[in-house]
Structure formats: C-alpha cells, structure tokens
Amino acid sequence: MQVVGYETDVASGSPEADGDSERAPNAEADGPIGGGLYVASGGTVDFVDAGPGAELAFGLGERRCAGTVHEGDHVACDAPDAPYCDDHSHVWVCARCTGTCLKDEMDCHETHAMYLAAFAPDVLKVGVTREWRLGTRLREQGADRAAHIRTFPNGRIAREVEAELAAGEDLVDRVRVPTKLDGFGRSVDEAAWEALLDRFEPIERFAFDYGLDLDERPVAETMAAGTVRGWKGRVIVLDRGGSTYAVDARDLVGYELTDAVPERELQSSLGAFGG
C-alpha cells in the first residue's frame, strides 16, 4: 500500500490534481481542517482519513516514485526517485511566470488577485492567484495573515507586478515548508505586518485560525502514526507519545505503508517532559 497523494479541505495534492475589516474567508471552514492520504494497492486508489481526531497507525517502508493515477486507477512506477521520477514529475509552468508566458499560447485571461501573506513570525510574501480561489489559495499555503491588494484583468500583468515587488528586500514570492514550520506555535510580528500594509490600500484583509492550539513549535518528523490534531497548509500536526509533531504530507508521498509502527526513538518536544 503506497502513498500516492494527499488532500486537505482547502487544498489538493491528490493523485488526480496536479474591505478593511479582518475576517476569515469561508468562515465555516475556519478552525481545524480535515484531510487524508491517497493510497494505492494493486492499481486501486483508496482514501485514508486523516482529519482531526483520526488515529494513524502506519509504519513507513521503502520509498519510490508514486507513479501516476489515470482515470482513477494507479499506474505504479519502480523508479527509485521520490516522490516522482522525471517521467512522472509535473511542473506547473505558471508558477515560474514573471509576465512572459512560458506556454505556447497564453490562457490566463481570468481576473487575478494579488495578495500579501504573513507567516509567523515575520516572513512576508507577495503572490498571485485567480481571484475566485483567493481564500483557498491562502489557506492551502498555511498563511497566518493576508490581504488582497490589487486586482488584474489577467495573469500576465499580475505576474509582472508580482515579480517587481518580489525583487525588493522585504518580500518573497515563495516560502518553503521548513520556514513555515519555524513559525508554528508563534505569533505574527504585527508591527511588521501593519507597516507593510501601510504601503498599500488593502481591498480585503484576512486572519486565519487552523485550530491547532499550539503552545510551542512541533517537532518536524516524517511519520504516519499518531493522533491527528489538524492541518496547516500541507502539514499534518500529530500528537504521539506526549509530543507534537509536524509532518509535511508531500514527504509521505511514495512511501509504502506498513502495519507495524516502529518503536524507534523520536525527538521529543519540551512539553513531553512536563513543566
């Protein structure tokens, strides 16, 4: 049984998916986020629930390319590269766009929103997405604060402006998962965030609560055993043995799941030792 994808309530890494007031978009989704893993065996793909409160009890075996899913069926690959080999890696060219279209024909004619996002404690990002999926895009990244600052008639113009802003010293256009993990359990530097917003005229502002109730940063691990506390972006937060762990779901893709949960030593968080 091999992990071939993952999915949260707001973002999909599934095998079939490649005003001034501050509020949470889709307020009904604010708080704990559910999710799960797509696993394949014998060509069949199943969904393993990993929502808040779910108990995961898997060990991790060998890891190899996760292959591909076509019309709901899994096509396995024996290549040792993980999570995907060169033949099964899919790069979304629009993510590399800076205004000069990398496709044979430009197709981003939808209205695009430019946003600013804050990741605790003080990482500030500029980004672009189709306007209709702004709230989803922010939550699937695990942003703590965000603001919609501009609207453009198409993606090409939006990407040009994004590239200009990202060339400055205080904004980035990409935040890696390890950097995001450094901010788990910490607060946003509100002074830095407000100073950034003072340079713009936000159309709408957002604050996010993922319902994780973290007092400290969880320990980064790659494992599939424990009680799910929730998700933040593509990171699963698990409680196990008195400690709290953060697992990048993408790091699980390609692994064979086993029924035997290893008793190996795990790094413990400070909370495991009491006061």
Side-chain angles (χ1 to χ4, degrees):
M1 187 166 64
Q2 183 188 26
V3 180
V4 296
Y6 58 89
E7 184 172 351
T8 77
D9 283 346
V10 296
S12 179
S14 73
E16 302 202 13
D18 233 358
D20 291 335
S21 62
E22 195 163 79
R23 68 174 182 85
N26 304 322
E28 68 277 10
D30 205 36
I33 294 176
L37 303 175
Y38 286 98
V39 299
S41 179
T44 301
V45 179
D46 294 308
F47 184 74
V48 175
D49 176 54
E55 296 286 346
L56 300 181
F58 300 104
L60 300 181
E62 295 183 356
R63 194 185 190 201
R64 63 181 188 281
C65 175
T68 187
V69 173
H70 180 67
E71 295 183 352
D73 296 324
H74 178 239
V75 180
C77 177
D78 293 328
D81 306 300
Y84 301 102
C85 67
D86 290 341
D87 290 339
H88 294 115
S89 295
H90 302 286
V91 178
W92 186 45
V93 296
C94 295
R96 301 199 303 257
C97 177
T98 58
T100 301
C101 188
L102 302 175
K103 296 182 177 180
D104 293 334
E105 183 177 352
M106 176 179 157
D107 59 6
C108 56
H109 299 291
E110 296 179 83
T111 302
H112 279 60
M114 174 173 286
Y115 61 85
L116 300 173
F119 299 85
D122 56 5
V123 178
L124 305 174
K125 175 184 185 292
V126 60
V128 166
T129 188
R130 287 167 290 177
E131 186 178 25
W132 63 267
R133 75 181 308 272
L134 175 60
T136 296
R137 180 60 181 147
L138 294 170
R139 286 180 69 85
E140 72 186 12
Q141 292 181 80
D144 295 298
R145 298 280 188 278
H148 177 189
I149 58 170
R150 296 279 298 277
T151 303
F152 298 92
N154 60 55
R156 180 184 63 81
I157 300 174
R159 292 291 184 184
E160 287 179 349
V161 179
E162 176 193 32
E164 292 175 3
L165 289 175
E169 296 182 354
D170 56 348
L171 288 173
V172 298
D173 58 5
R174 184 170 301 179
V175 184
R176 302 292 184 182
V177 169
T179 300
K180 295 177 183 179
L181 289 178
D182 285 341
F184 277 40
R186 302 172 72 180
S187 299
V188 171
D189 183 335
E190 295 291 351
W193 175 238
E194 292 298 332
L196 174 63
L197 294 187
D198 284 345
R199 293 165 44 192
F200 302 89
E201 296 182 4
I203 298 168
E204 193 167 17
R205 297 175 59 172
F206 309 92
F208 299 94
D209 178 6
Y210 298 88
L212 298 176
D213 193 26
L214 295 171
D215 295 324
E216 59 187 9
R217 183 176 62 189
V219 179
E221 277 281 358
T222 301
M223 63 183 189
T227 303
V228 179
R229 183 179 291 209
W231 293 63
K232 187 176 183 183
R234 73 185 198 202
V235 176
I236 314 170
V237 178
L238 297 171
D239 291 321
R240 179 179 173 187
S243 290
T244 303
Y245 299 92
V247 182
D248 184 347
R250 193 172 191 273
D251 287 344
L252 296 176
V253 176
Y255 271 109
E256 289 285 344
L257 297 181
T258 69
D259 292 330
V261 178
E263 295 296 332
R264 68 183 178 89
E265 291 293 326
L266 293 172
Q267 183 180 350
S268 298
S269 60
L270 294 177
F273 301 101

